[in-house]
Amino acid sequence: MTNTTSAEECLQKRYWYYFLASSLIVFCAGIAFILIYRLIIWLCCLVSTPPHGASPKVANHPGTVNPPPPKRKGSTTNANSTATNTTLQKPSDSEIGYITEAKDWAGELISGQTTTGRILVGLVFLLSIASLIIYFIDASEETVESCTPWAESPRQQVDLAFNVFFLIYFFIRFVAANDKLLFWLEVFSFVDYFTIPPSFVAIYLDRNWLGLRFLRALRLMSIPDILTYLNVLKTSTMIKLSQLVAFFISLWLASAGFLHLIENAGDPWVDFDNPQLLTYWECMYFLLVTMSTVGYGDVGAKTVLGKIFIVLFIMISIGMFASWIPEISDILGRRQKYGGCYKKERGKKHIVVCGHITFDSVSNFLKDFLHKDREDVDVEIVFIHKILPDLELEGLLKRHFTQVEFFHGTVMDANDLARVKIETADACLVLANKYCEDPDQEDAANIMRVISIKNFHAEIKVIVQLMQYHNKAYLLNIPSWDWKRGDDAVCVAELKLGFIAQSCLAPGFSTLMANLFTMRSDKPKSYLRSLYLSATDMPQWQCDYMRGTAMEMYTEYLSSSFNGMTFPEAAELCFSKLKLLLLAIEVRQEDGRESTLAINPGSKIKIENATQGFFIAESAEEVKRAFYYCKNCHAQATDVRAIKKCRCRPLAQFKKGVTAVIGFGNKLAANPLLSKKDRPTSGSKDKANAPVPLAAGPTTPTVAALPPLSQESQDTSVCPGEEPRKFDSTGMFHWCPSRPLIEARMDREKASATVLCNHVVVCLFADANSPLIGLRNLVMPLRASNFHYQDLKHVVIVGNIEYLEREWRTLQNFPKITILAGSPLNRANLRAVNVNLCDMCVILSAKDKNLDDPHLVDKEAILCSLNIKAMTFDDSMGLIQASAQQAPGFLPPGFSPIGHSKRSRRGSVCGSNVPLITELANDSNVQFLDQDDEDDPDTELYMTQPFACGTAFAVSVLDSLMSTSYFNDNALTLIRTLITGGATPELEQILAEGAGMRGGYCTPSVLANRDRCRVAQVSLFEGPLAQFGEDGTYGSLFLFALRNLGILCIGLYRFRDTNESSSSPSSKRYVITNPPEDFKLLATDQVFCLAPCNLSQSSNSSPKDRREEINTHKKVPKVKKKKNKHKGNYSGYCPPLSF
């Protein structure tokens, strides 16, 4: 009773203002001291500045004034220069003041870079937590102000010891600070002002006041820094998470302490007569309920100060709670979901995909990689990216959760590579952003990813997607990069422009090839096709086209029944008996370690045991017929469904599944059909059997064995009066000495005076600083050496001259290229280059494709296309030429009989008949190209009319090539050989030097490289195949062309409106891939084919012999032509096929 009475008497007079005043006095005194110190330093510097002409005194450091150094004897410098040099002279190390030394010592002591500093920071944090715990105990057991003597309170004594340590640490931080005033205003400095001085006042007053000791909770905000010092936090996500959690908890605990103080003390202006007794934990509960906007109402503030504080707290905390708590929860949830390590299942393969990981790129990749037409795709896909997936991508991953996993990380970090088990992965695929702002920077980033992956595990197969062709050279600098191991680069510019170039030679070929190597998800199955087409009420042209889209490339080993056959014999058997189209075969070298791809090689190559073939078929099941075929059991079979595995074949020879070229390609050493003698020796490596690209073997001969370049570099097939022709060092392309741009440039008047016909017009939209698209990849296929020089199409490029100056260094070694400076939207420029007489008008854009509105990325290309279609032309020249021709029958505009390469093309009167191909960056923009189509805006690109007609090409069709390259090493080689016109690794090595293409010597080995098949388009109106133009079938055409001409037909290019009932037939054509045998042909059809070339022999023959050879092919019997009933205005051009 006595103790209680004495405590009440003690509390009759409050001394809280003593405690608070001590903190305020320290703060204000410190501010005053710093300001006075700065004023003194400023005055000292002002006094030490010498007047004009006087000797200066240099302040080396605050508090020290050093005289100028003595003048050397014999010095000739004047007084002014001496003063200047003295003023700017840097003090020597011996003159550094004690303040600087103390500052350096203090900085090292508290720095996280030293062990002592890390220990000191950690110790301060631990003692702050201990001091906070003491506060929690005092707040739970005592009132705000108590009269407990300091000597009788162990907790106060311990807290005082902690505060002494904090005072020393505060002094060290003050000495180390560069800006004392800024340090004095830091948050942690305020914590020390309001916690350290009151502990000393408590000793003097012999009483305790809880006061602002709760501010020690703000020390929790240093947790992220401490964990970073200790190397516990390594990722930005975890650092961000720790910062959010630490800040939230610190603010919550400190606010609860302040509310506890003012509610338990009461309002001072009513003499503290309205206190509300709340424990510290009740205050925490009340603030959390308030922040979460729940507000139960069981606890509330009753003092005026408490209510004012709650109003301010609500305005601040609700926004913080609403934003931070969900972010913390999201990071915690995703950390658990996308962290950890990949757990590889025994016997199951997995691949790692990195690079540009977004919803669009991942969805396109998975759509092709996991397509149902791929049999037994037992491969798990592991995506790794430094950015967590958004909700759209997360939903996509959940739909494929059985085969897809996502990990948060980067391939540039070895720890993350170990997490995804890169050392046991079957391959690593690096995706590129095709719509990036700077393609070179995107390629550099992907090449760095390849370097990191190869540095971690050199043996892994890496397939990287690059934007620019010239950046492929940097991959060759990686020591562990080896294409024989399966490493490959899918160059978007090379393949995109290659497809467009082949469409200049054979319009529509880009659509045909794109449909072949792309797995389509909406194709009707063969046994449902008739029902599907009849139910959907499609036009006939769409039915024919959709059937062709079901065709795909596959690989399979040929059975032993094919052994000894020539390629034409094997192709005929596959077509007529197995209903398959054989495109190419894999030919092993003599040593059996390497192999090459032979595309329609003719009769010079025979099928050996276990030869792999490349087929066009509808499904993998169909291609198995080539593996199962047995001439003993299936020779009399009339139904292809009866060609199955027979008893003649040992069970051990059965190979499960078939692979699309798009399917998995087994290595030669693993082929079960190889006999023991055909297998590689045990000393050879497994990876040494990867096929090399066609014509990769030839190498440049030594200079000592070469004839003079000036004589032998000429093509001996040149007719009298023609200029000499030359080839590059690989013999794969026509070449000419470097020309300055001024020689290839012409103005509008010169272009109008030049009779341009049967040429290629390139409308290029680019600015002076636009990224290079690599026009060399467009020109190279048009300058392939398997064309005669006179058959090369002239290329006229219309665009920005400053941009073309940058591109010209890669084009200067190609003949027949002309530049017209100006805008492709200018009709005068288009008329000057005779766009109505061109064989193909290519519309390209090199401008920035990273726009806010994706529909605007193709605005220039679409406007140019519509501008050309709206133009009209005077065709008086074409009418005169047509009247002068004595050829029998009706010749639609744009047709040229086979073998008549010099005949000029009839010009188009209407711009809509000008042959066009437009490059699009956004698939949905295809709806704006043709105003007469009825395509729905949501229609997939491959089902739209412009794509079916071959007048539009989008870069998105190349996405599936990443999957193609993984499943079959040969697939990309086959496509690249068909598309690029003969680019080889040897040529890539030459281009990597940066000096451009080199001229070569016309030795027999170099000229032999000209003997390779090429893509061609043959008309059925006239020529050796004209007999099939009326009432013929595709099967009879295929067999005749293969047997007599060695031509391998792969599809048709037909007019869209062939029905007589069409009131206004269109001049547009569409692509039909690999039609059935009984497919009826029309005289207006054009045939896609792979035509053989024997130019090395004709190069050594006389022009007279070569002309006789051509005339021999013209004498093929032809049937009488019927009257053509097609009334449309035809356009398009059939490139002449030279034999």
Side-chain angles (χ1 to χ4, degrees):
M1 186 70 179
T2 306
N3 294 336
T4 305
T5 304
S6 60
E8 293 177 354
E9 293 176 354
C10 178
L11 294 176
Q12 289 297 323
K13 188 176 182 180
R14 306 261 184 171
Y15 291 97
W16 60 273
Y17 47 85
Y18 282 93
F19 295 93
L20 187 59
S22 64
S23 299
L24 295 177
I25 290 173
V26 170
F27 172 73
C28 295
I31 291 289
F33 173 77
I34 294 173
L35 294 178
I36 293 173
Y37 179 79
R38 288 192 173 186
L39 180 60
I40 295 174
I41 295 299
W42 180 76
L43 292 175
C44 292
C45 293
L46 187 62
V47 172
S48 62
T49 302
H52 182 68
S55 299
K57 293 184 178 180
V58 181
N60 187 46
H61 191 276
T64 62
V65 178
N66 300 322
K71 197 172 184 180
R72 296 183 181 180
K73 295 182 180 181
S75 176
T76 59
T77 56
N78 55 30
N80 292 335
S81 63
T82 304
T84 303
N85 294 336
T86 308
T87 305
L88 300 178
Q89 185 178 2
K90 183 178 178 180
S92 60
D93 294 342
S94 60
E95 296 174 343
I96 295 179
Y98 66 91
I99 296 181
T100 303
E101 293 181 353
K103 179 180 175 182
D104 294 340
W105 169 81
E108 293 179 1
L109 195 61
I110 63 174
S111 173
Q113 302 296 326
T114 61
T115 303
T116 305
R118 287 194 291 267
I119 294 175
L120 186 59
V121 171
L123 185 59
V124 169
F125 173 76
L126 293 177
L127 295 182
S128 297
I129 298 300
S131 178
L132 185 62
I133 293 174
I134 294 175
Y135 166 76
F136 291 156
I137 297 174
D138 291 343
S140 302
E141 297 180 357
E142 299 180 1
T143 59
V144 173
E145 187 172 351
S146 62
C147 293
T148 305
W150 179 84
E152 299 178 3
S153 176
R155 289 196 298 268
Q156 291 188 43
Q157 298 172 7
V158 174
D159 189 60
L160 178 64
F162 291 164
N163 286 324
V164 171
F165 178 80
F166 295 146
L167 180 62
I168 298 174
Y169 184 68
F170 177 85
F171 177 74
I172 296 175
R173 288 166 49 224
F174 178 78
V175 172
N178 293 321
D179 191 332
K180 311 299 184 184
L181 183 61
L182 187 63
F183 166 80
W184 205 259
L185 299 176
E186 286 182 353
V187 174
F188 291 151
S189 297
F190 277 99
V191 172
D192 291 332
Y193 306 149
F194 293 101
T195 55
I196 296 177
S199 62
F200 293 96
V201 175
I203 300 176
Y204 174 76
L205 297 177
D206 210 18
R207 63 171 58 196
N208 188 25
W209 183 60
L210 290 179
L212 304 179
R213 288 164 55 191
F214 57 81
L215 292 178
R216 286 291 175 195
L218 297 179
R219 276 286 178 184
L220 294 175
M221 290 191 296
S222 63
I223 290 179
D225 297 333
I226 296 172
L227 295 180
T228 304
Y229 293 157
L230 300 177
N231 205 26
V232 175
L233 300 180
K234 299 179 181 180
T235 63
S236 59
T237 303
M238 293 307 301
I239 294 175
K240 177 67 175 178
L241 174 63
S242 62
Q243 288 176 344
L244 289 174
V245 173
F247 194 90
F248 174 76
I249 294 177
S250 300
L251 187 61
W252 181 28
L253 296 179
S255 300
F258 185 77
L259 181 65
H260 173 265
L261 173 65
I262 58 181
E263 283 296 310
N264 285 273
D267 294 323
W269 52 82
V270 294
D271 200 19
F272 305 101
D273 288 339
N274 60 339
Q276 178 185 198
L277 298 180
L278 291 176
T279 65
Y280 180 81
W281 314 111
E282 288 176 331
C283 293
M284 288 183 60
Y285 162 76
F286 170 61
L287 292 182
L288 185 60
V289 170
T290 303
M291 280 192 293
S292 61
T293 70
V294 176
Y296 290 117
D298 53 343
V299 179
K302 294 185 178 179
T303 63
V304 176
L305 286 177
K307 292 176 180 179
I308 294 174
F309 169 74
I310 290 300
V311 170
L312 299 175
F313 180 79
I314 289 175
M315 290 190 295
I316 298 174
S317 63
I318 288 182
M320 179 192 70
F321 188 89
S323 60
W324 289 3
I325 296 301
E327 187 174 358
I328 292 173
S329 302
D330 188 52
I331 294 177
L332 287 174
R334 295 192 181 194
R335 168 65 181 174
Q336 297 173 357
K337 185 184 301 184
Y338 302 118
C341 300
Y342 170 71
K343 296 180 181 178
K344 184 177 178 64
E345 297 182 14
R346 178 177 297 180
K348 196 168 187 178
K349 298 178 181 178
H350 81 283
I351 64 171
V352 178
V353 183
C354 60
H356 182 63
I357 306 298
T358 62
F359 172 78
D360 292 332
S361 64
V362 172
S363 60
N364 291 334
F365 177 80
L366 293 180
K367 185 192 305 182
D368 192 81
F369 193 92
L370 301 178
H371 196 272
K372 56 187 177 182
D373 283 358
R374 300 191 192 279
E375 294 191 351
D376 301 328
V377 182
D378 191 19
V379 180
E380 285 194 345
I381 307 170
V382 178
F383 291 96
I384 180 171
H385 195 46
K386 62 180 180 180
I387 300 177
L388 293 171
D390 55 19
L391 295 178
E392 199 174 20
L393 179 55
E394 198 171 40
L396 178 64
L397 298 174
K398 289 179 179 178
R399 290 196 294 272
H400 298 87
F401 73 96
T402 57
Q403 286 186 280
V404 175
E405 289 192 46
F406 185 96
F407 288 90
H408 183 221
T410 173
V411 293
M412 300 302 296
D413 190 344
N415 296 320
D416 292 333
L417 289 174
R419 287 172 51 215
V420 297
K421 301 294 189 295
I422 198 75
E423 66 277 0
T424 59
D426 195 46
C428 183
L429 280 62
V430 185
L431 304 181
N433 179 12
K434 298 184 294 297
Y435 310 109
C436 59
E437 184 176 353
D438 190 342
D440 286 319
Q441 289 298 321
E442 179 71 12
D443 287 348
N446 282 338
I447 293 173
M448 283 301 301
R449 293 185 178 102
V450 175
I451 293 174
S452 176
I453 295 167
K454 285 291 189 178
N455 186 57
F456 186 85
H457 184 58
E459 301 296 324
I460 190 173
K461 173 182 176 180
V462 176
I463 303 173
V464 59
Q465 196 174 43
L466 296 179
M467 297 299 298
Q468 301 286 16
Y469 178 75
H470 58 266
N471 290 326
K472 292 175 65 176
Y474 298 110
L475 293 172
L476 304 177
N477 300 330
I478 304 176
S480 54
W481 180 267
D482 186 6
W483 61 268
K484 293 183 179 180
R485 190 185 294 117
D487 297 337
D488 215 333
V490 179
C491 180
V492 174
E494 174 190 22
L495 296 174
K496 175 187 68 177
L497 296 178
F499 274 105
I500 294 175
Q502 293 298 338
S503 290
C504 297
L505 302 173
F509 185 75
S510 60
T511 296
L512 184 145
M513 282 298 298
N515 288 334
L516 283 180
F517 67 74
T518 304
M519 293 288 186
R520 303 299 188 191
S521 58
D522 297 330
K523 296 174 182 176
K525 293 185 178 180
S526 57
Y527 62 87
L528 293 176
R529 181 173 294 106
S530 59
L531 297 176
Y532 173 80
L533 296 179
S534 61
T536 54
D537 193 24
M538 280 187 177
Q540 183 59 42
W541 77 268
Q542 286 187 342
C543 296
D544 296 336
Y545 170 73
M546 288 300 296
R547 182 200 173 278
T549 61
M551 297 296 169
E552 291 152 359
M553 281 189 189
Y554 295 90
T555 60
E556 182 56 279
Y557 287 97
L558 299 175
S559 69
S560 57
S561 298
F562 288 89
N563 292 354
M565 291 185 182
T566 62
F567 179 85
E569 293 172 346
E572 181 178 345
L573 175 61
C574 289
F575 182 82
S576 58
K577 190 76 176 179
L578 307 181
K579 311 304 178 187
L580 302 174
L581 177 55
L582 179 63
L583 279 182
I585 57 175
E586 186 181 23
V587 181
R588 292 190 297 275
Q589 302 295 332
E590 294 181 358
D591 57 3
R593 297 187 179 184
E594 292 184 351
S595 57
T596 59
L597 290 180
I599 304 174
N600 187 20
S603 302
K604 57 186 177 182
I605 294 180
K606 293 187 176 182
I607 307 297
E608 299 179 354
N609 188 33
T611 296
Q612 191 179 41
F614 293 76
F615 299 89
I616 293 179
E618 291 188 21
S619 66
E621 287 293 331
E622 293 183 359
V623 184
K624 289 180 181 178
R625 301 168 194 159
F627 180 78
Y628 294 145
Y629 177 74
C630 174
K631 61 182 177 181
N632 297 326
C633 302
H634 304 138
Q636 305 301 323
T638 57
D639 188 355
V640 292
R641 291 176 294 182
I643 302 177
K644 298 181 179 180
K645 188 178 69 168
C646 63
R647 297 181 179 179
C648 301
R649 303 178 62 83
L651 183 63
Q653 291 185 346
F654 176 71
K655 177 171 66 68
K656 182 180 180 181
V658 64
T659 62
V661 168
I662 344 210
F664 177 73
N666 292 325
K667 298 299 180 184
L668 199 58
N671 182 9
L673 297 184
L674 279 178
S675 62
K676 185 175 181 180
K677 65 180 181 178
D678 292 330
R679 294 177 183 269
T681 59
S682 58
S684 63
K685 297 182 179 179
D686 294 341
K687 299 293 184 179
N689 301 293
V692 299
L694 189 65
T699 57
T700 304
T702 59
V703 177
L706 292 176
L709 179 63
S710 60
Q711 298 178 5
E712 296 300 331
S713 61
Q714 300 181 5
D715 183 0
T716 57
S717 63
V718 179
C719 296
E722 294 185 1
E723 62 177 281
R725 271 90 71 187
K726 301 177 182 178
F727 306 100
D728 74 310
S729 57
T730 64
M732 305 299 283
F733 298 96
H734 286 274
W735 179 87
C736 70
S738 299
R739 296 179 297 156
L741 179 61
I742 191 65
E743 292 184 7
R745 183 178 176 182
M746 63 178 179
D747 54 18
R748 190 183 304 167
E749 290 73 17
K750 184 178 179 181
S752 301
T754 305
V755 181
L756 292 171
C757 187
N758 303 124
H759 57 298
V760 175
V761 177
V762 180
C763 298
L764 179 61
F765 292 92
D767 297 325
N769 298 321
S770 297
L772 299 178
I773 62 173
L775 285 177
R776 174 169 56 191
N777 299 293
L778 177 67
V779 176
M780 284 174 66
L782 302 177
R783 296 295 175 263
S785 61
N786 53 3
F787 288 95
H788 284 292
Y789 185 85
Q790 63 269 22
D791 295 334
L792 298 180
K793 297 180 184 295
H794 202 103
V795 178
V796 181
I797 306 175
V798 182
N800 183 285
I801 190 62
E802 295 180 2
Y803 175 85
L804 291 173
E805 286 177 353
R806 297 162 55 205
E807 287 273 12
W808 181 249
R809 65 182 185 86
T810 63
L811 304 176
Q812 59 187 353
N813 294 116
F814 293 108
K816 295 188 178 182
I817 299 180
T818 304
I819 304 295
L820 175 63
S823 171
L825 290 174
N826 190 323
R827 290 191 175 186
N829 293 334
L830 297 175
R831 295 184 189 277
V833 298
N834 290 348
V835 70
N836 60 316
L837 297 176
C838 70
D839 284 346
M840 184 60 68
C841 179
V842 180
I843 303 176
L844 303 174
S845 177
K847 292 192 175 181
D848 183 15
K849 295 180 173 56
N850 190 20
L851 300 178
D852 295 334
D853 189 349
H855 294 90
L856 297 180
V857 297
D858 301 313
K859 56 183 182 296
E860 292 93 352
I862 294 173
L863 290 176
C864 183
S865 176
L866 298 179
N867 183 44
I868 294 175
K869 292 177 182 179
M871 294 174 66
T872 56
F873 304 93
D874 179 12
D875 196 28
S876 57
M877 180 183 296
L879 293 175
I880 294 174
Q881 293 173 348
S883 62
Q885 294 173 358
Q886 302 297 326
F890 171 73
L891 184 64
F895 279 82
S896 177
I898 188 168
H900 289 68
S901 60
K902 295 298 182 182
R903 175 175 294 181
S904 298
R905 175 183 177 274
R906 281 283 304 278
S908 301
V909 177
C910 180
S912 60
N913 293 331
V914 174
L916 291 173
I917 181 167
T918 306
E919 178 215 357
L920 297 176
N922 189 346
D923 292 1
S924 62
N925 286 335
V926 73
Q927 61 180 312
F928 304 118
L929 289 179
D930 283 350
Q931 303 301 309
D932 62 339
D933 63 352
E934 299 179 356
D935 294 330
D936 187 88
D938 296 329
T939 304
E940 286 196 59
L941 175 68
Y942 81 96
M943 298 178 65
T944 60
Q945 177 180 293
F947 187 80
C949 297
T951 59
F953 185 82
V955 69
S956 62
V957 302
L958 302 177
D959 290 338
S960 59
L961 284 179
M962 293 296 287
S963 304
T964 299
S965 303
Y966 166 71
F967 283 111
N968 194 295
D969 296 339
N970 301 346
L972 190 59
T973 303
L974 174 65
I975 296 171
R976 191 180 286 135
T977 303
L978 283 173
I979 296 304
T980 62
T984 63
E986 180 187 1
L987 179 62
E988 292 183 3
Q989 291 277 6
I990 295 173
L991 297 178
E993 298 295 328
M997 301 182 67
R998 301 198 301 260
Y1001 299 87
C1002 287
T1003 61
S1005 60
V1006 172
L1007 291 177
N1009 292 339
R1010 303 185 67 189
D1011 295 341
R1012 61 190 190 275
C1013 76
R1014 68 169 185 259
V1015 177
Q1017 200 173 67
V1018 183
S1019 172
L1020 297 186
F1021 188 79
E1022 286 190 8
L1025 303 179
Q1027 56 181 307
F1028 302 98
E1030 289 289 348
D1031 300 329
T1033 62
Y1034 181 78
S1036 58
L1037 167 70
F1038 181 92
L1039 295 177
F1040 176 85
L1042 186 62
R1043 292 171 180 171
N1044 297 278
L1045 303 175
I1047 295 176
L1048 186 65
C1049 301
I1050 57 178
L1052 296 176
Y1053 199 42
R1054 170 169 291 187
F1055 280 111
R1056 192 191 70 179
D1057 300 329
T1058 57
N1059 193 339
E1060 294 183 6
S1061 62
S1062 300
S1063 58
S1064 57
S1066 172
S1067 62
K1068 295 182 175 66
R1069 292 179 180 268
Y1070 66 97
V1071 176
I1072 307 175
T1073 306
N1074 190 24
E1077 282 187 88
D1078 56 353
F1079 191 82
K1080 296 295 183 181
L1081 301 176
L1082 300 175
T1084 56
D1085 289 343
Q1086 295 179 356
V1087 184
F1088 292 107
C1089 60
L1090 300 176
C1093 297
N1094 295 313
L1095 299 184
S1096 63
Q1097 298 177 6
S1098 62
S1099 297
N1100 296 324
S1101 62
S1102 65
K1104 178 181 179 181
D1105 296 336
R1106 189 159 50 84
R1107 285 192 293 268
E1108 290 179 354
E1109 180 185 0
I1110 295 175
N1111 294 330
T1112 301
H1113 288 285
K1114 294 182 183 179
K1115 298 177 181 179
V1116 179
K1118 298 186 292 183
V1119 297
K1120 184 178 180 180
K1121 298 292 295 179
K1122 295 183 180 180
K1123 185 178 179 181
N1124 184 27
K1125 301 178 181 180
H1126 193 12
K1127 305 297 183 182
N1129 294 324
Y1130 307 118
S1131 67
Y1133 170 64
C1134 172
L1137 182 62
S1138 301
F1139 296 96

